[in-house]
Amino acid sequence: MSDTYSVREAVAAGDRESCFAVRREVFVEEQGVPQELEYDTYDATAVHVLAVRADGVPLGTGRLLHGADAAGKTGGDASVGSLGRLAVNQAARGLGVGAALVRGIEDAARERGLSAVDLHAQTHALGFYERLGYVAYGPEFPDAGMPHRAMRRTL
């Protein structure tokens, strides 16, 4: 949490659209991820977390999959959630927004009784997640044409 922005679950009217706008800017426009890959059926049941500037401008987002939705990404362990779609717009990078979003997603996971959070990190972001306590496991793999590694943090 900062004086200039806050992080919350995306439950207010318009929050989900704000999350999708940040994802479109970062993943579709900036990184060239096809729009049909960026948005999926999990968006309907995921817990979305949103970082907003004090004036309401969205700065970043991420989502938590849990239960059956997370099972395919976490090795079938129902006590592990899956963090994904973490995105911070260019203007807000370096302000701690990404770390605050990860902590917000972890809080949401704890509230749902989960014991750990997995994620699939773009390899250039491994250091960011390691600083937040995540540990890489398994081999590198491609996702949307970019190299990734699986990581996990016990809560």
Side-chain angles (χ1 to χ4, degrees), residues 11-131:
V11 294
D15 280 354
R16 188 162 298 188
E17 290 79 14
S18 293
C19 292
F20 290 171
V22 172
R23 286 169 47 186
R24 185 173 39 260
E25 177 185 337
V26 173
F27 295 125
V28 177
E29 296 169 11
E30 185 180 326
Q31 296 183 358
V33 173
Q35 191 160 310
E36 60 273 12
L37 292 180
E38 176 52 32
Y39 306 100
D40 59 27
T41 58
Y42 297 121
D43 282 325
T45 55
V47 176
H48 297 269
V49 176
L50 179 64
V52 293
R53 211 167 56 192
D55 63 3
V57 172
L59 301 176
T61 188
R63 75 179 186 186
L64 172 70
L65 303 182
H66 54 94
D69 289 348
K73 299 177 180 287
T74 63
D77 187 342
S79 71
V80 179
S82 178
L83 182 158
R85 303 302 201 265
L86 187 75
V88 175
N89 67 29
Q90 280 188 327
R93 292 181 192 153
L95 302 176
V97 174
L101 284 163
V102 170
R103 295 305 184 221
I105 290 167
E106 291 170 349
D107 289 345
R110 281 186 201 91
E111 289 170 10
R112 286 155 180 84
L114 302 177
S115 63
V117 173
D118 270 17
L119 58 87
H120 293 165
Q122 294 179 13
T123 54
H124 71 82
L126 289 172
F128 166 77
Y129 289 110
E130 286 169 343
R131 287 188 294 279

Side-chain angles (χ1 to χ4, degrees), residues 135-152:
V135 177
Y137 67 91
E140 187 176 291
F141 60 92
D143 187 4
M146 292 172 268
H148 285 68
R149 290 278 310 275
M151 303 185 83
R152 177 173 288 186

